[in-house]
Amino acid sequence: VRLGRVQGFVFGQRDALARLALVRVGLGLTVAVLLVFGPYDRFFVDMAGELYRPLPWLPPLGSAYAALRAVAIASALAYAAGLWTRFSNAVAALSFLVLNAYVARFAPEPWSYTTHLNFFLLATCAVDSGRALSLDARRRTARPATPVERETASFVAAFMQLFVGLLYFQSGLSKLLRSGAAWFLTGRTLWVFTVAEGTDLGRALTRWPWLFRAGGVFAGVFELGFLGLVPFRRAHALLALSALAFHTGTLLLLGISFWHLALLVPLVFWPLRPALVARLEPDSPAPSENP
Amino acid sequence: LSGRAAAAPFATSARRRALLLFLLAAFFAVQLAHTVADRNTWPFCSYNVFSFLPPLRLPVPRAVLHQDDGAEQVVPLGRVVPLEFFRARQVLLNVLMRGDDPLQGERVAAALLRRLNEAPWPAFDETLASARPAPGRRFVGLDLVLYTVDTADYRPPGPPRIVGARPAYAFREVP
């Protein structure tokens, strides 16, 4: 892959601003739902004295924990709605970063499985993702985006796409390094954990052991192959669908949805129709110029 | 590949773009290094869950909750701690079974029983719903038991065959 082509992918995505408006809504709602309904409750106040391992810059928060959580929820919702987007984006990124750093320190091994949300929120601070689908857009008419802003938006969109691709690749590489090709070819890990800890549906599927071997092969092809197709826009619909299939499979077998990533993958990858891009961003370049 | 745009002139300098590409590569190299090293350093993640090949006969930890009327409930560890079930397991096994400080284990077990009795929580995704005592009853004891299950000859439906059990931790509230 020539460097010029890489730059075309990283800096030349003409629909990036429209995509980031869609991602903003999904990302803000995901963070808000996770914080309201997910494991961020009073446990982290009640158990701080016993379980929290303080960071030098982050002492036990006590009752300030609830306030920080409330700020993160409110700013994530404002960001999703596109209200004072750049400000709410920055507040959501910072408050959720501190909150997630804090709760990660309650387990012996730091909990990093939701930090893609932190990285995405930080990355979107580089652009105004509230130019469309936002309350900001209703209140004021934004000036047309400059070419520099478009390149920055493309960089942020490419960052998210590569991040997702690398995440799956890391998951596949970890299996390859720790277990070898046997992980993918035998399906044993899927079988054992489905039987021992899986769902009723997953256990019912053990009537057909070949399904688990096929699942192992699919996981290998998906996890190790995804990243290589990220720069190819024509493959993006396939990538989004395969990710949904992968996460649906782990949900049905093992009760693990990874929804906070799975629901964002289509927003990050699904090819946007020119009519949608034109509607979200009337001053966008002609759709035919889209790389 | 998105090559058509590459032919178009860029708005920013080659130096700026090169710097951004370098930062992108460096960031992803750090991520990848965590996978190779098989460790997590927040906020970086190795994504190593389920990456090992387990034996067909393996230990499965469960919590045994004792009610004040003597009744028992055997539940997954995720129903005792209001966290994702992976993390709940890490916390319980590390603090109660492997912890250096038995008194800390007792304080944590007592706090968890208090939480179960006074403020149960609903299920959400990987956070399991809390175990609940029978109406009018309360939990007064918490054990951890390592059951050995055999998955090799499993036939659905129902749970797998238990071929062994080893008590690993016990706590009782002092009346």
Side-chain angles (χ1 to χ4, degrees), chain A residues 163-180:
Chain A
F163 190 104
V164 171
L166 189 77
L167 184 156
Y168 291 132
F169 182 76
Q170 287 178 268
S171 187
L173 179 66
S174 179
K175 295 176 177 75
L176 205 55
L177 292 175
R178 293 178 79 185
S179 305

mmCIF file with all atom_site columns, all heavy atoms in Angstrom, chain A residues 163-180:
data_model
loop_
_atom_site.group_PDB
_atom_site.id
_atom_site.type_symbol
_atom_site.label_atom_id
_atom_site.label_alt_id
_atom_site.label_comp_id
_atom_site.label_asym_id
_atom_site.label_entity_id
_atom_site.label_seq_id
_atom_site.pdbx_PDB_ins_code
_atom_site.Cartn_x
_atom_site.Cartn_y
_atom_site.Cartn_z
_atom_site.occupancy
_atom_site.B_iso_or_equiv
_atom_site.pdbx_formal_charge
_atom_site.auth_seq_id
_atom_site.auth_comp_id
_atom_site.auth_asym_id
_atom_site.auth_atom_id
_atom_site.pdbx_PDB_model_num
ATOM 1   N N   . PHE A 1 163 ? -8.856  2.032   14.847 1.00 0.00 ? 163 PHE A N   1
ATOM 2   C CA  . PHE A 1 163 ? -8.907  1.579   16.239 1.00 0.00 ? 163 PHE A CA  1
ATOM 3   C C   . PHE A 1 163 ? -9.749  0.303   16.338 1.00 0.00 ? 163 PHE A C   1
ATOM 4   O O   . PHE A 1 163 ? -9.351  -0.670  16.978 1.00 0.00 ? 163 PHE A O   1
ATOM 5   C CB  . PHE A 1 163 ? -9.503  2.675   17.119 1.00 0.00 ? 163 PHE A CB  1
ATOM 6   C CG  . PHE A 1 163 ? -9.383  2.405   18.595 1.00 0.00 ? 163 PHE A CG  1
ATOM 7   C CD1 . PHE A 1 163 ? -8.449  3.064   19.370 1.00 0.00 ? 163 PHE A CD1 1
ATOM 8   C CD2 . PHE A 1 163 ? -10.201 1.462   19.221 1.00 0.00 ? 163 PHE A CD2 1
ATOM 9   C CE1 . PHE A 1 163 ? -8.325  2.798   20.724 1.00 0.00 ? 163 PHE A CE1 1
ATOM 10  C CE2 . PHE A 1 163 ? -10.081 1.197   20.574 1.00 0.00 ? 163 PHE A CE2 1
ATOM 11  C CZ  . PHE A 1 163 ? -9.146  1.869   21.326 1.00 0.00 ? 163 PHE A CZ  1
ATOM 12  N N   . VAL A 1 164 ? -10.916 0.334   15.695 1.00 0.00 ? 164 VAL A N   1
ATOM 13  C CA  . VAL A 1 164 ? -11.797 -0.842  15.745 1.00 0.00 ? 164 VAL A CA  1
ATOM 14  C C   . VAL A 1 164 ? -11.093 -2.038  15.087 1.00 0.00 ? 164 VAL A C   1
ATOM 15  O O   . VAL A 1 164 ? -11.084 -3.156  15.625 1.00 0.00 ? 164 VAL A O   1
ATOM 16  C CB  . VAL A 1 164 ? -13.135 -0.551  15.040 1.00 0.00 ? 164 VAL A CB  1
ATOM 17  C CG1 . VAL A 1 164 ? -13.964 -1.822  14.895 1.00 0.00 ? 164 VAL A CG1 1
ATOM 18  C CG2 . VAL A 1 164 ? -13.923 0.502   15.816 1.00 0.00 ? 164 VAL A CG2 1
ATOM 19  N N   . GLY A 1 165 ? -10.480 -1.792  13.930 1.00 0.00 ? 165 GLY A N   1
ATOM 20  C CA  . GLY A 1 165 ? -9.773  -2.875  13.239 1.00 0.00 ? 165 GLY A CA  1
ATOM 21  C C   . GLY A 1 165 ? -8.644  -3.441  14.086 1.00 0.00 ? 165 GLY A C   1
ATOM 22  O O   . GLY A 1 165 ? -8.465  -4.658  14.168 1.00 0.00 ? 165 GLY A O   1
ATOM 23  N N   . LEU A 1 166 ? -7.902  -2.555  14.737 1.00 0.00 ? 166 LEU A N   1
ATOM 24  C CA  . LEU A 1 166 ? -6.787  -3.027  15.561 1.00 0.00 ? 166 LEU A CA  1
ATOM 25  C C   . LEU A 1 166 ? -7.297  -3.772  16.791 1.00 0.00 ? 166 LEU A C   1
ATOM 26  O O   . LEU A 1 166 ? -6.695  -4.769  17.215 1.00 0.00 ? 166 LEU A O   1
ATOM 27  C CB  . LEU A 1 166 ? -5.907  -1.844  15.987 1.00 0.00 ? 166 LEU A CB  1
ATOM 28  C CG  . LEU A 1 166 ? -4.611  -2.282  16.652 1.00 0.00 ? 166 LEU A CG  1
ATOM 29  C CD1 . LEU A 1 166 ? -3.615  -2.775  15.599 1.00 0.00 ? 166 LEU A CD1 1
ATOM 30  C CD2 . LEU A 1 166 ? -3.979  -1.172  17.465 1.00 0.00 ? 166 LEU A CD2 1
ATOM 31  N N   . LEU A 1 167 ? -8.404  -3.310  17.352 1.00 0.00 ? 167 LEU A N   1
ATOM 32  C CA  . LEU A 1 167 ? -8.982  -3.978  18.528 1.00 0.00 ? 167 LEU A CA  1
ATOM 33  C C   . LEU A 1 167 ? -9.280  -5.449  18.208 1.00 0.00 ? 167 LEU A C   1
ATOM 34  O O   . LEU A 1 167 ? -8.907  -6.354  18.959 1.00 0.00 ? 167 LEU A O   1
ATOM 35  C CB  . LEU A 1 167 ? -10.235 -3.227  18.945 1.00 0.00 ? 167 LEU A CB  1
ATOM 36  C CG  . LEU A 1 167 ? -10.995 -3.647  20.189 1.00 0.00 ? 167 LEU A CG  1
ATOM 37  C CD1 . LEU A 1 167 ? -11.799 -2.464  20.720 1.00 0.00 ? 167 LEU A CD1 1
ATOM 38  C CD2 . LEU A 1 167 ? -11.926 -4.806  19.959 1.00 0.00 ? 167 LEU A CD2 1
ATOM 39  N N   . TYR A 1 168 ? -9.926  -5.677  17.074 1.00 0.00 ? 168 TYR A N   1
ATOM 40  C CA  . TYR A 1 168 ? -10.230 -7.062  16.699 1.00 0.00 ? 168 TYR A CA  1
ATOM 41  C C   . TYR A 1 168 ? -8.937  -7.824  16.408 1.00 0.00 ? 168 TYR A C   1
ATOM 42  O O   . TYR A 1 168 ? -8.796  -8.994  16.772 1.00 0.00 ? 168 TYR A O   1
ATOM 43  C CB  . TYR A 1 168 ? -11.159 -7.104  15.483 1.00 0.00 ? 168 TYR A CB  1
ATOM 44  C CG  . TYR A 1 168 ? -12.556 -6.605  15.764 1.00 0.00 ? 168 TYR A CG  1
ATOM 45  C CD1 . TYR A 1 168 ? -13.176 -5.685  14.923 1.00 0.00 ? 168 TYR A CD1 1
ATOM 46  C CD2 . TYR A 1 168 ? -13.269 -7.051  16.874 1.00 0.00 ? 168 TYR A CD2 1
ATOM 47  C CE1 . TYR A 1 168 ? -14.463 -5.225  15.178 1.00 0.00 ? 168 TYR A CE1 1
ATOM 48  C CE2 . TYR A 1 168 ? -14.549 -6.590  17.135 1.00 0.00 ? 168 TYR A CE2 1
ATOM 49  C CZ  . TYR A 1 168 ? -15.143 -5.678  16.287 1.00 0.00 ? 168 TYR A CZ  1
ATOM 50  O OH  . TYR A 1 168 ? -16.410 -5.224  16.549 1.00 0.00 ? 168 TYR A OH  1
ATOM 51  N N   . PHE A 1 169 ? -7.990  -7.151  15.747 1.00 0.00 ? 169 PHE A N   1
ATOM 52  C CA  . PHE A 1 169 ? -6.725  -7.822  15.446 1.00 0.00 ? 169 PHE A CA  1
ATOM 53  C C   . PHE A 1 169 ? -5.998  -8.198  16.740 1.00 0.00 ? 169 PHE A C   1
ATOM 54  O O   . PHE A 1 169 ? -5.436  -9.297  16.857 1.00 0.00 ? 169 PHE A O   1
ATOM 55  C CB  . PHE A 1 169 ? -5.839  -6.911  14.588 1.00 0.00 ? 169 PHE A CB  1
ATOM 56  C CG  . PHE A 1 169 ? -4.546  -7.547  14.194 1.00 0.00 ? 169 PHE A CG  1
ATOM 57  C CD1 . PHE A 1 169 ? -4.505  -8.510  13.198 1.00 0.00 ? 169 PHE A CD1 1
ATOM 58  C CD2 . PHE A 1 169 ? -3.359  -7.208  14.826 1.00 0.00 ? 169 PHE A CD2 1
ATOM 59  C CE1 . PHE A 1 169 ? -3.307  -9.120  12.845 1.00 0.00 ? 169 PHE A CE1 1
ATOM 60  C CE2 . PHE A 1 169 ? -2.160  -7.820  14.483 1.00 0.00 ? 169 PHE A CE2 1
ATOM 61  C CZ  . PHE A 1 169 ? -2.135  -8.769  13.483 1.00 0.00 ? 169 PHE A CZ  1
ATOM 62  N N   . GLN A 1 170 ? -6.013  -7.304  17.719 1.00 0.00 ? 170 GLN A N   1
ATOM 63  C CA  . GLN A 1 170 ? -5.376  -7.615  19.006 1.00 0.00 ? 170 GLN A CA  1
ATOM 64  C C   . GLN A 1 170 ? -6.010  -8.844  19.635 1.00 0.00 ? 170 GLN A C   1
ATOM 65  O O   . GLN A 1 170 ? -5.312  -9.702  20.186 1.00 0.00 ? 170 GLN A O   1
ATOM 66  C CB  . GLN A 1 170 ? -5.522  -6.422  19.959 1.00 0.00 ? 170 GLN A CB  1
ATOM 67  C CG  . GLN A 1 170 ? -4.656  -5.232  19.629 1.00 0.00 ? 170 GLN A CG  1
ATOM 68  C CD  . GLN A 1 170 ? -4.920  -4.098  20.611 1.00 0.00 ? 170 GLN A CD  1
ATOM 69  O OE1 . GLN A 1 170 ? -5.750  -3.243  20.356 1.00 0.00 ? 170 GLN A OE1 1
ATOM 70  N NE2 . GLN A 1 170 ? -4.248  -4.111  21.736 1.00 0.00 ? 170 GLN A NE2 1
ATOM 71  N N   . SER A 1 171 ? -7.328  -8.906  19.552 1.00 0.00 ? 171 SER A N   1
ATOM 72  C CA  . SER A 1 171 ? -8.026  -10.039 20.142 1.00 0.00 ? 171 SER A CA  1
ATOM 73  C C   . SER A 1 171 ? -7.610  -11.349 19.454 1.00 0.00 ? 171 SER A C   1
ATOM 74  O O   . SER A 1 171 ? -7.354  -12.364 20.114 1.00 0.00 ? 171 SER A O   1
ATOM 75  C CB  . SER A 1 171 ? -9.533  -9.805  20.006 1.00 0.00 ? 171 SER A CB  1
ATOM 76  O OG  . SER A 1 171 ? -10.247 -10.766 20.691 1.00 0.00 ? 171 SER A OG  1
ATOM 77  N N   . GLY A 1 172 ? -7.504  -11.304 18.121 1.00 0.00 ? 172 GLY A N   1
ATOM 78  C CA  . GLY A 1 172 ? -7.069  -12.493 17.387 1.00 0.00 ? 172 GLY A CA  1
ATOM 79  C C   . GLY A 1 172 ? -5.609  -12.818 17.636 1.00 0.00 ? 172 GLY A C   1
ATOM 80  O O   . GLY A 1 172 ? -5.230  -13.984 17.820 1.00 0.00 ? 172 GLY A O   1
ATOM 81  N N   . LEU A 1 173 ? -4.776  -11.780 17.669 1.00 0.00 ? 173 LEU A N   1
ATOM 82  C CA  . LEU A 1 173 ? -3.340  -11.992 17.899 1.00 0.00 ? 173 LEU A CA  1
ATOM 83  C C   . LEU A 1 173 ? -3.099  -12.594 19.278 1.00 0.00 ? 173 LEU A C   1
ATOM 84  O O   . LEU A 1 173 ? -2.248  -13.477 19.443 1.00 0.00 ? 173 LEU A O   1
ATOM 85  C CB  . LEU A 1 173 ? -2.599  -10.651 17.756 1.00 0.00 ? 173 LEU A CB  1
ATOM 86  C CG  . LEU A 1 173 ? -1.095  -10.705 17.983 1.00 0.00 ? 173 LEU A CG  1
ATOM 87  C CD1 . LEU A 1 173 ? -0.415  -11.529 16.886 1.00 0.00 ? 173 LEU A CD1 1
ATOM 88  C CD2 . LEU A 1 173 ? -0.500  -9.295  18.019 1.00 0.00 ? 173 LEU A CD2 1
ATOM 89  N N   . SER A 1 174 ? -3.840  -12.114 20.268 1.00 0.00 ? 174 SER A N   1
ATOM 90  C CA  . SER A 1 174 ? -3.694  -12.643 21.619 1.00 0.00 ? 174 SER A CA  1
ATOM 91  C C   . SER A 1 174 ? -3.975  -14.151 21.643 1.00 0.00 ? 174 SER A C   1
ATOM 92  O O   . SER A 1 174 ? -3.251  -14.927 22.282 1.00 0.00 ? 174 SER A O   1
ATOM 93  C CB  . SER A 1 174 ? -4.652  -11.906 22.558 1.00 0.00 ? 174 SER A CB  1
ATOM 94  O OG  . SER A 1 174 ? -4.540  -12.416 23.857 1.00 0.00 ? 174 SER A OG  1
ATOM 95  N N   . LYS A 1 175 ? -4.996  -14.572 20.925 1.00 0.00 ? 175 LYS A N   1
ATOM 96  C CA  . LYS A 1 175 ? -5.322  -16.000 20.854 1.00 0.00 ? 175 LYS A CA  1
ATOM 97  C C   . LYS A 1 175 ? -4.204  -16.765 20.155 1.00 0.00 ? 175 LYS A C   1
ATOM 98  O O   . LYS A 1 175 ? -3.797  -17.855 20.585 1.00 0.00 ? 175 LYS A O   1
ATOM 99  C CB  . LYS A 1 175 ? -6.642  -16.198 20.114 1.00 0.00 ? 175 LYS A CB  1
ATOM 100 C CG  . LYS A 1 175 ? -7.851  -15.619 20.822 1.00 0.00 ? 175 LYS A CG  1
ATOM 101 C CD  . LYS A 1 175 ? -9.101  -15.767 19.979 1.00 0.00 ? 175 LYS A CD  1
ATOM 102 C CE  . LYS A 1 175 ? -10.354 -15.272 20.695 1.00 0.00 ? 175 LYS A CE  1
ATOM 103 N NZ  . LYS A 1 175 ? -10.481 -13.814 20.778 1.00 0.00 ? 175 LYS A NZ  1
ATOM 104 N N   . LEU A 1 176 ? -3.698  -16.175 19.080 1.00 0.00 ? 176 LEU A N   1
ATOM 105 C CA  . LEU A 1 176 ? -2.639  -16.835 18.314 1.00 0.00 ? 176 LEU A CA  1
ATOM 106 C C   . LEU A 1 176 ? -1.372  -16.983 19.159 1.00 0.00 ? 176 LEU A C   1
ATOM 107 O O   . LEU A 1 176 ? -0.727  -18.036 19.159 1.00 0.00 ? 176 LEU A O   1
ATOM 108 C CB  . LEU A 1 176 ? -2.344  -15.997 17.057 1.00 0.00 ? 176 LEU A CB  1
ATOM 109 C CG  . LEU A 1 176 ? -1.760  -16.690 15.852 1.00 0.00 ? 176 LEU A CG  1
ATOM 110 C CD1 . LEU A 1 176 ? -2.607  -17.873 15.407 1.00 0.00 ? 176 LEU A CD1 1
ATOM 111 C CD2 . LEU A 1 176 ? -1.601  -15.694 14.702 1.00 0.00 ? 176 LEU A CD2 1
ATOM 112 N N   . LEU A 1 177 ? -1.029  -15.929 19.905 1.00 0.00 ? 177 LEU A N   1
ATOM 113 C CA  . LEU A 1 177 ? 0.194   -15.968 20.704 1.00 0.00 ? 177 LEU A CA  1
ATOM 114 C C   . LEU A 1 177 ? 0.061   -16.908 21.897 1.00 0.00 ? 177 LEU A C   1
ATOM 115 O O   . LEU A 1 177 ? 1.009   -17.594 22.271 1.00 0.00 ? 177 LEU A O   1
ATOM 116 C CB  . LEU A 1 177 ? 0.536   -14.553 21.199 1.00 0.00 ? 177 LEU A CB  1
ATOM 117 C CG  . LEU A 1 177 ? 0.967   -13.546 20.131 1.00 0.00 ? 177 LEU A CG  1
ATOM 118 C CD1 . LEU A 1 177 ? 1.160   -12.157 20.745 1.00 0.00 ? 177 LEU A CD1 1
ATOM 119 C CD2 . LEU A 1 177 ? 2.263   -13.996 19.456 1.00 0.00 ? 177 LEU A CD2 1
ATOM 120 N N   . ARG A 1 178 ? -1.108  -16.940 22.521 1.00 0.00 ? 178 ARG A N   1
ATOM 121 C CA  . ARG A 1 178 ? -1.256  -17.724 23.751 1.00 0.00 ? 178 ARG A CA  1
ATOM 122 C C   . ARG A 1 178 ? -1.662  -19.172 23.482 1.00 0.00 ? 178 ARG A C   1
ATOM 123 O O   . ARG A 1 178 ? -1.372  -20.052 24.289 1.00 0.00 ? 178 ARG A O   1
ATOM 124 C CB  . ARG A 1 178 ? -2.285  -17.070 24.679 1.00 0.00 ? 178 ARG A CB  1
ATOM 125 C CG  . ARG A 1 178 ? -1.824  -15.727 25.218 1.00 0.00 ? 178 ARG A CG  1
ATOM 126 C CD  . ARG A 1 178 ? -2.867  -15.096 26.085 1.00 0.00 ? 178 ARG A CD  1
ATOM 127 N NE  . ARG A 1 178 ? -2.910  -15.666 27.424 1.00 0.00 ? 178 ARG A NE  1
ATOM 128 C CZ  . ARG A 1 178 ? -3.807  -15.338 28.340 1.00 0.00 ? 178 ARG A CZ  1
ATOM 129 N NH1 . ARG A 1 178 ? -4.741  -14.454 28.054 1.00 0.00 ? 178 ARG A NH1 1
ATOM 130 N NH2 . ARG A 1 178 ? -3.791  -15.887 29.534 1.00 0.00 ? 178 ARG A NH2 1
ATOM 131 N N   . SER A 1 179 ? -2.366  -19.404 22.387 1.00 0.00 ? 179 SER A N   1
ATOM 132 C CA  . SER A 1 179 ? -2.903  -20.752 22.162 1.00 0.00 ? 179 SER A CA  1
ATOM 133 C C   . SER A 1 179 ? -2.549  -21.343 20.802 1.00 0.00 ? 179 SER A C   1
ATOM 134 O O   . SER A 1 179 ? -2.810  -22.529 20.561 1.00 0.00 ? 179 SER A O   1
ATOM 135 C CB  . SER A 1 179 ? -4.433  -20.725 22.290 1.00 0.00 ? 179 SER A CB  1
ATOM 136 O OG  . SER A 1 179 ? -4.812  -20.196 23.526 1.00 0.00 ? 179 SER A OG  1
ATOM 137 N N   . GLY A 1 180 ? -2.021  -20.526 19.908 1.00 0.00 ? 180 GLY A N   1
ATOM 138 C CA  . GLY A 1 180 ? -1.698  -21.028 18.573 1.00 0.00 ? 180 GLY A CA  1
ATOM 139 C C   . GLY A 1 180 ? -2.943  -21.198 17.718 1.00 0.00 ? 180 GLY A C   1
ATOM 140 O O   . GLY A 1 180 ? -4.057  -20.834 18.117 1.00 0.00 ? 180 GLY A O   1
#
